[in-house]
mmCIF file of all heavy atoms in Angstrom:
data_model
loop_
_atom_site.group_PDB
_atom_site.id
_atom_site.type_symbol
_atom_site.label_atom_id
_atom_site.label_comp_id
_atom_site.label_asym_id
_atom_site.label_seq_id
_atom_site.Cartn_x
_atom_site.Cartn_y
_atom_site.Cartn_z
ATOM 1 N N PRO M 70 10.684 -7.274 -9.100
ATOM 2 C CA PRO M 70 11.678 -8.334 -9.322
ATOM 3 C C PRO M 70 10.973 -9.703 -9.397
ATOM 4 O O PRO M 70 9.943 -9.882 -8.753
ATOM 5 C CB PRO M 70 12.596 -8.259 -8.111
ATOM 6 C CG PRO M 70 11.821 -7.521 -7.071
ATOM 7 C CD PRO M 70 10.875 -6.650 -7.791
ATOM 8 N N ASP M 71 11.527 -10.639 -10.174
ATOM 9 C CA ASP M 71 10.953 -11.976 -10.222
ATOM 10 C C ASP M 71 11.204 -12.736 -8.948
ATOM 11 O O ASP M 71 10.429 -13.528 -8.496
ATOM 12 C CB ASP M 71 11.529 -12.750 -11.425
ATOM 13 C CG ASP M 71 11.183 -12.125 -12.759
ATOM 14 O OD1 ASP M 71 10.125 -11.490 -12.847
ATOM 15 O OD2 ASP M 71 11.957 -12.262 -13.686
ATOM 16 N N ILE M 72 12.340 -12.438 -8.374
ATOM 17 C CA ILE M 72 12.733 -13.057 -7.111
ATOM 18 C C ILE M 72 13.028 -11.954 -6.100
ATOM 19 O O ILE M 72 13.838 -11.077 -6.366
ATOM 20 C CB ILE M 72 13.999 -13.944 -7.305
ATOM 21 C CG1 ILE M 72 13.639 -15.092 -8.294
ATOM 22 C CG2 ILE M 72 14.427 -14.506 -5.950
ATOM 23 C CD1 ILE M 72 14.881 -15.875 -8.682
ATOM 24 N N ALA M 73 12.338 -11.981 -4.997
ATOM 25 C CA ALA M 73 12.564 -11.032 -3.919
ATOM 26 C C ALA M 73 13.396 -11.735 -2.836
ATOM 27 O O ALA M 73 12.945 -12.728 -2.327
ATOM 28 C CB ALA M 73 11.258 -10.493 -3.364
ATOM 29 N N GLU M 74 14.529 -11.173 -2.533
ATOM 30 C CA GLU M 74 15.357 -11.807 -1.512
ATOM 31 C C GLU M 74 14.836 -11.535 -0.110
ATOM 32 O O GLU M 74 14.986 -12.365 0.795
ATOM 33 C CB GLU M 74 16.792 -11.334 -1.627
ATOM 34 C CG GLU M 74 17.464 -11.813 -2.914
ATOM 35 C CD GLU M 74 18.924 -11.513 -2.950
ATOM 36 O OE1 GLU M 74 19.481 -11.191 -1.912
ATOM 37 O OE2 GLU M 74 19.468 -11.535 -4.047
ATOM 38 N N ASN M 75 14.228 -10.402 0.053
ATOM 39 C CA ASN M 75 13.657 -10.036 1.357
ATOM 40 C C ASN M 75 12.185 -9.813 1.232
ATOM 41 O O ASN M 75 11.766 -8.824 0.663
ATOM 42 C CB ASN M 75 14.399 -8.783 1.879
ATOM 43 C CG ASN M 75 13.966 -8.365 3.241
ATOM 44 O OD1 ASN M 75 13.044 -9.009 3.838
ATOM 45 N ND2 ASN M 75 14.584 -7.383 3.803
ATOM 46 N N GLY M 76 11.416 -10.728 1.795
ATOM 47 C CA GLY M 76 9.940 -10.641 1.668
ATOM 48 C C GLY M 76 9.376 -9.432 2.395
ATOM 49 O O GLY M 76 8.203 -9.055 2.210
ATOM 50 N N ALA M 77 10.140 -8.805 3.306
ATOM 51 C CA ALA M 77 9.621 -7.684 4.056
ATOM 52 C C ALA M 77 9.598 -6.423 3.186
ATOM 53 O O ALA M 77 8.891 -5.491 3.507
ATOM 54 C CB ALA M 77 10.443 -7.445 5.307
ATOM 55 N N VAL M 78 10.389 -6.377 2.135
ATOM 56 C CA VAL M 78 10.454 -5.191 1.288
ATOM 57 C C VAL M 78 10.498 -5.646 -0.163
ATOM 58 O O VAL M 78 11.512 -5.980 -0.718
ATOM 59 C CB VAL M 78 11.741 -4.350 1.604
ATOM 60 C CG1 VAL M 78 11.694 -3.048 0.822
ATOM 61 C CG2 VAL M 78 11.813 -4.079 3.086
ATOM 62 N N VAL M 79 9.312 -5.712 -0.779
ATOM 63 C CA VAL M 79 9.248 -6.148 -2.186
ATOM 64 C C VAL M 79 8.732 -4.930 -3.018
ATOM 65 O O VAL M 79 7.593 -4.562 -2.836
ATOM 66 C CB VAL M 79 8.265 -7.341 -2.358
ATOM 67 C CG1 VAL M 79 8.289 -7.790 -3.817
ATOM 68 C CG2 VAL M 79 8.704 -8.478 -1.423
ATOM 69 N N PRO M 80 9.565 -4.346 -3.815
ATOM 70 C CA PRO M 80 9.124 -3.237 -4.629
ATOM 71 C C PRO M 80 8.128 -3.660 -5.704
ATOM 72 O O PRO M 80 8.399 -4.628 -6.447
ATOM 73 C CB PRO M 80 10.416 -2.654 -5.250
ATOM 74 C CG PRO M 80 11.483 -3.649 -5.007
ATOM 75 C CD PRO M 80 10.999 -4.725 -4.078
ATOM 76 N N VAL M 81 7.000 -3.030 -5.776
ATOM 77 C CA VAL M 81 5.973 -3.328 -6.766
ATOM 78 C C VAL M 81 5.496 -2.049 -7.407
ATOM 79 O O VAL M 81 5.106 -1.102 -6.707
ATOM 80 C CB VAL M 81 4.778 -4.078 -6.128
ATOM 81 C CG1 VAL M 81 3.700 -4.359 -7.140
ATOM 82 C CG2 VAL M 81 5.229 -5.388 -5.499
ATOM 83 N N SER M 82 5.517 -2.003 -8.735
ATOM 84 C CA SER M 82 4.940 -0.871 -9.468
ATOM 85 C C SER M 82 3.812 -1.386 -10.357
ATOM 86 O O SER M 82 3.912 -2.477 -10.904
ATOM 87 C CB SER M 82 6.002 -0.195 -10.357
ATOM 88 O OG SER M 82 7.076 0.255 -9.574
ATOM 89 N N VAL M 83 2.767 -0.620 -10.495
ATOM 90 C CA VAL M 83 1.677 -1.001 -11.379
ATOM 91 C C VAL M 83 1.417 0.146 -12.324
ATOM 92 O O VAL M 83 1.274 1.305 -11.940
ATOM 93 C CB VAL M 83 0.381 -1.299 -10.534
ATOM 94 C CG1 VAL M 83 -0.752 -1.644 -11.491
ATOM 95 C CG2 VAL M 83 0.653 -2.398 -9.564
ATOM 96 N N THR M 84 1.334 -0.164 -13.608
ATOM 97 C CA THR M 84 0.985 0.787 -14.643
ATOM 98 C C THR M 84 -0.251 0.273 -15.376
ATOM 99 O O THR M 84 -0.332 -0.905 -15.733
ATOM 100 C CB THR M 84 2.144 0.936 -15.661
ATOM 101 O OG1 THR M 84 3.373 1.154 -14.932
ATOM 102 C CG2 THR M 84 1.909 2.067 -16.594
ATOM 103 N N SER M 85 -1.201 1.153 -15.549
ATOM 104 C CA SER M 85 -2.408 0.798 -16.292
ATOM 105 C C SER M 85 -2.494 1.628 -17.570
ATOM 106 O O SER M 85 -2.215 2.825 -17.534
ATOM 107 C CB SER M 85 -3.648 1.044 -15.411
ATOM 108 O OG SER M 85 -4.789 1.075 -16.234
ATOM 109 N N ARG M 86 -2.832 1.001 -18.658
ATOM 110 C CA ARG M 86 -3.037 1.723 -19.925
ATOM 111 C C ARG M 86 -4.516 1.732 -20.221
ATOM 112 O O ARG M 86 -4.895 2.087 -21.365
ATOM 113 C CB ARG M 86 -2.222 1.070 -21.050
ATOM 114 C CG ARG M 86 -0.719 1.360 -20.913
ATOM 115 C CD ARG M 86 0.106 0.607 -21.952
ATOM 116 N NE ARG M 86 -0.077 -0.829 -21.882
ATOM 117 C CZ ARG M 86 0.612 -1.573 -20.993
ATOM 118 N NH1 ARG M 86 1.481 -1.066 -20.176
ATOM 119 N NH2 ARG M 86 0.398 -2.880 -20.960
ATOM 120 N N LEU M 87 -5.326 1.338 -19.329
ATOM 121 C CA LEU M 87 -6.780 1.385 -19.549
ATOM 122 C C LEU M 87 -7.285 2.857 -19.418
ATOM 123 O O LEU M 87 -6.831 3.544 -18.542
ATOM 124 C CB LEU M 87 -7.503 0.526 -18.474
ATOM 125 C CG LEU M 87 -7.238 -0.994 -18.503
ATOM 126 C CD1 LEU M 87 -7.573 -1.614 -17.200
ATOM 127 C CD2 LEU M 87 -8.018 -1.627 -19.621
ATOM 128 N N GLY M 88 -8.158 3.205 -20.296
ATOM 129 C CA GLY M 88 -8.697 4.563 -20.228
ATOM 130 C C GLY M 88 -9.489 4.763 -18.935
ATOM 131 O O GLY M 88 -10.111 3.844 -18.423
ATOM 132 N N LYS M 89 -9.445 5.981 -18.433
ATOM 133 C CA LYS M 89 -10.210 6.338 -17.241
ATOM 134 C C LYS M 89 -9.998 5.423 -16.062
ATOM 135 O O LYS M 89 -10.933 4.920 -15.437
ATOM 136 C CB LYS M 89 -11.722 6.399 -17.572
ATOM 137 C CG LYS M 89 -12.033 7.551 -18.492
ATOM 138 C CD LYS M 89 -13.551 7.670 -18.689
ATOM 139 C CE LYS M 89 -13.852 8.665 -19.758
ATOM 140 N NZ LYS M 89 -15.185 8.410 -20.396
ATOM 141 N N THR M 90 -8.733 5.135 -15.773
ATOM 142 C CA THR M 90 -8.443 4.336 -14.589
ATOM 143 C C THR M 90 -8.788 5.139 -13.368
ATOM 144 O O THR M 90 -8.363 6.261 -13.213
ATOM 145 C CB THR M 90 -6.942 3.969 -14.608
ATOM 146 O OG1 THR M 90 -6.676 3.130 -15.731
ATOM 147 C CG2 THR M 90 -6.515 3.271 -13.346
ATOM 148 N N GLU M 91 -9.601 4.528 -12.508
ATOM 149 C CA GLU M 91 -10.046 5.215 -11.293
ATOM 150 C C GLU M 91 -9.292 4.781 -10.058
ATOM 151 O O GLU M 91 -9.108 5.557 -9.109
ATOM 152 C CB GLU M 91 -11.585 4.964 -11.081
ATOM 153 C CG GLU M 91 -12.403 5.552 -12.188
ATOM 154 C CD GLU M 91 -13.800 4.903 -12.242
ATOM 155 O OE1 GLU M 91 -14.348 4.616 -11.142
ATOM 156 O OE2 GLU M 91 -14.305 4.681 -13.337
ATOM 157 N N SER M 92 -8.934 3.538 -9.999
ATOM 158 C CA SER M 92 -8.207 3.080 -8.835
ATOM 159 C C SER M 92 -7.292 1.891 -9.155
ATOM 160 O O SER M 92 -7.530 1.184 -10.101
ATOM 161 C CB SER M 92 -9.142 2.685 -7.686
ATOM 162 O OG SER M 92 -9.729 1.442 -7.972
ATOM 163 N N ILE M 93 -6.222 1.783 -8.381
ATOM 164 C CA ILE M 93 -5.304 0.653 -8.533
ATOM 165 C C ILE M 93 -5.112 0.016 -7.141
ATOM 166 O O ILE M 93 -4.850 0.740 -6.188
ATOM 167 C CB ILE M 93 -3.924 1.155 -9.081
ATOM 168 C CG1 ILE M 93 -4.084 1.715 -10.506
ATOM 169 C CG2 ILE M 93 -2.916 0.001 -9.060
ATOM 170 C CD1 ILE M 93 -2.759 2.325 -11.032
ATOM 171 N N SER M 94 -5.260 -1.269 -7.084
ATOM 172 C CA SER M 94 -5.076 -1.986 -5.799
ATOM 173 C C SER M 94 -4.006 -3.070 -6.001
ATOM 174 O O SER M 94 -3.919 -3.675 -7.078
ATOM 175 C CB SER M 94 -6.358 -2.624 -5.296
ATOM 176 O OG SER M 94 -7.358 -1.634 -5.134
ATOM 177 N N ILE M 95 -3.223 -3.280 -4.985
ATOM 178 C CA ILE M 95 -2.170 -4.322 -5.028
ATOM 179 C C ILE M 95 -2.571 -5.404 -4.024
ATOM 180 O O ILE M 95 -2.810 -5.129 -2.845
ATOM 181 C CB ILE M 95 -0.794 -3.726 -4.685
ATOM 182 C CG1 ILE M 95 -0.432 -2.648 -5.684
ATOM 183 C CG2 ILE M 95 0.260 -4.850 -4.684
ATOM 184 C CD1 ILE M 95 0.818 -1.854 -5.344
ATOM 185 N N LEU M 96 -2.634 -6.622 -4.546
ATOM 186 C CA LEU M 96 -3.029 -7.745 -3.713
ATOM 187 C C LEU M 96 -1.944 -8.858 -3.771
ATOM 188 O O LEU M 96 -1.407 -9.118 -4.816
ATOM 189 C CB LEU M 96 -4.358 -8.377 -4.174
ATOM 190 C CG LEU M 96 -5.617 -7.560 -4.065
ATOM 191 C CD1 LEU M 96 -5.790 -6.656 -5.257
ATOM 192 C CD2 LEU M 96 -6.806 -8.458 -3.918
ATOM 193 N N VAL M 97 -1.675 -9.435 -2.625
ATOM 194 C CA VAL M 97 -0.722 -10.548 -2.559
ATOM 195 C C VAL M 97 -1.538 -11.791 -2.136
ATOM 196 O O VAL M 97 -2.104 -11.832 -1.039
ATOM 197 C CB VAL M 97 0.420 -10.295 -1.555
ATOM 198 C CG1 VAL M 97 1.383 -11.448 -1.510
ATOM 199 C CG2 VAL M 97 1.120 -8.989 -1.909
ATOM 200 N N GLU M 98 -1.645 -12.753 -3.054
ATOM 201 C CA GLU M 98 -2.591 -13.856 -2.871
ATOM 202 C C GLU M 98 -2.358 -14.641 -1.583
ATOM 203 O O GLU M 98 -3.309 -14.946 -0.894
ATOM 204 C CB GLU M 98 -2.476 -14.833 -4.083
ATOM 205 C CG GLU M 98 -3.559 -15.869 -4.110
ATOM 206 C CD GLU M 98 -3.451 -16.765 -5.374
ATOM 207 O OE1 GLU M 98 -2.324 -16.852 -5.930
ATOM 208 O OE2 GLU M 98 -4.440 -17.349 -5.747
ATOM 209 N N LYS M 99 -1.104 -14.929 -1.243
ATOM 210 C CA LYS M 99 -0.899 -15.811 -0.110
ATOM 211 C C LYS M 99 -0.597 -15.095 1.196
ATOM 212 O O LYS M 99 -0.244 -15.693 2.175
ATOM 213 C CB LYS M 99 0.229 -16.789 -0.426
ATOM 214 C CG LYS M 99 -0.225 -17.839 -1.443
ATOM 215 C CD LYS M 99 0.806 -18.910 -1.676
ATOM 216 C CE LYS M 99 0.301 -19.854 -2.738
ATOM 217 N NZ LYS M 99 1.395 -20.672 -3.248
ATOM 218 N N ASN M 100 -0.761 -13.783 1.207
ATOM 219 C CA ASN M 100 -0.674 -13.093 2.465
ATOM 220 C C ASN M 100 -1.924 -13.362 3.321
ATOM 221 O O ASN M 100 -2.963 -13.689 2.733
ATOM 222 C CB ASN M 100 -0.529 -11.558 2.255
ATOM 223 C CG ASN M 100 0.930 -11.140 2.081
ATOM 224 O OD1 ASN M 100 1.840 -11.970 2.067
ATOM 225 N ND2 ASN M 100 1.147 -9.855 2.003
ATOM 226 N N PRO M 101 -1.839 -13.187 4.659
ATOM 227 C CA PRO M 101 -3.020 -13.467 5.467
ATOM 228 C C PRO M 101 -4.254 -12.659 5.000
ATOM 229 O O PRO M 101 -5.401 -13.171 4.976
ATOM 230 C CB PRO M 101 -2.611 -12.981 6.861
ATOM 231 C CG PRO M 101 -1.135 -13.109 6.845
ATOM 232 C CD PRO M 101 -0.675 -12.820 5.428
ATOM 233 N N ASN M 102 -4.076 -11.451 4.628
ATOM 234 C CA ASN M 102 -5.110 -10.648 3.964
ATOM 235 C C ASN M 102 -4.558 -10.196 2.628
ATOM 236 O O ASN M 102 -3.501 -9.583 2.576
ATOM 237 C CB ASN M 102 -5.511 -9.441 4.829
ATOM 238 C CG ASN M 102 -5.966 -9.844 6.189
ATOM 239 O OD1 ASN M 102 -5.314 -9.583 7.208
ATOM 240 N ND2 ASN M 102 -7.096 -10.503 6.265
ATOM 241 N N ALA M 103 -5.267 -10.515 1.597
ATOM 242 C CA ALA M 103 -4.732 -10.301 0.234
ATOM 243 C C ALA M 103 -4.449 -8.811 -0.074
ATOM 244 O O ALA M 103 -3.434 -8.491 -0.587
ATOM 245 C CB ALA M 103 -5.689 -10.845 -0.798
ATOM 246 N N LEU M 104 -5.366 -7.953 0.320
ATOM 247 C CA LEU M 104 -5.246 -6.561 -0.087
ATOM 248 C C LEU M 104 -4.073 -5.844 0.675
ATOM 249 O O LEU M 104 -4.063 -5.826 1.926
ATOM 250 C CB LEU M 104 -6.546 -5.787 0.166
ATOM 251 C CG LEU M 104 -6.631 -4.367 -0.322
ATOM 252 C CD1 LEU M 104 -6.345 -4.272 -1.821
ATOM 253 C CD2 LEU M 104 -8.007 -3.796 -0.015
ATOM 254 N N SER M 105 -3.139 -5.294 -0.062
ATOM 255 C CA SER M 105 -2.007 -4.612 0.577
ATOM 256 C C SER M 105 -2.271 -3.106 0.568
ATOM 257 O O SER M 105 -2.100 -2.463 1.585
ATOM 258 C CB SER M 105 -0.719 -4.880 -0.189
ATOM 259 O OG SER M 105 -0.400 -6.228 -0.107
ATOM 260 N N ALA M 106 -2.632 -2.591 -0.611
ATOM 261 C CA ALA M 106 -2.778 -1.153 -0.721
ATOM 262 C C ALA M 106 -3.760 -0.855 -1.824
ATOM 263 O O ALA M 106 -3.845 -1.607 -2.811
ATOM 264 C CB ALA M 106 -1.433 -0.495 -1.010
ATOM 265 N N SER M 107 -4.480 0.213 -1.702
ATOM 266 C CA SER M 107 -5.454 0.639 -2.679
ATOM 267 C C SER M 107 -5.270 2.122 -2.945
ATOM 268 O O SER M 107 -5.205 2.900 -1.997
ATOM 269 C CB SER M 107 -6.847 0.317 -2.128
ATOM 270 O OG SER M 107 -7.811 0.635 -3.124
ATOM 271 N N PHE M 108 -5.162 2.495 -4.175
ATOM 272 C CA PHE M 108 -4.903 3.902 -4.569
ATOM 273 C C PHE M 108 -6.047 4.398 -5.412
ATOM 274 O O PHE M 108 -6.447 3.736 -6.368
ATOM 275 C CB PHE M 108 -3.608 4.003 -5.363
ATOM 276 C CG PHE M 108 -2.404 3.511 -4.594
ATOM 277 C CD1 PHE M 108 -1.998 2.187 -4.650
ATOM 278 C CD2 PHE M 108 -1.641 4.391 -3.834
ATOM 279 C CE1 PHE M 108 -0.928 1.740 -3.934
ATOM 280 C CE2 PHE M 108 -0.523 3.934 -3.109
ATOM 281 C CZ PHE M 108 -0.170 2.620 -3.179
ATOM 282 N N ASP M 109 -6.540 5.598 -5.102
ATOM 283 C CA ASP M 109 -7.494 6.272 -5.930
ATOM 284 C C ASP M 109 -6.755 7.199 -6.857
ATOM 285 O O ASP M 109 -5.924 7.983 -6.433
ATOM 286 C CB ASP M 109 -8.526 7.052 -5.105
ATOM 287 C CG ASP M 109 -9.508 6.127 -4.423
ATOM 288 O OD1 ASP M 109 -9.773 5.037 -4.983
ATOM 289 O OD2 ASP M 109 -9.944 6.443 -3.317
#
Side-chain angles (χ1 to χ4, degrees):
Chain M
D71 296 331
I72 297 171
E74 291 186 19
N75 184 355
V78 186
V79 184
V81 177
S82 300
V83 178
T84 310
S85 162
R86 288 175 299 278
L87 294 160
K89 291 186 188 155
T90 294
E91 295 160 39
S92 76
I93 296 175
S94 302
I95 299 171
L96 293 86
V97 181
E98 190 178 22
K99 286 186 183 164
N100 272 5
N102 301 111
L104 185 59
S105 296
S107 182
F108 300 88
D109 287 330

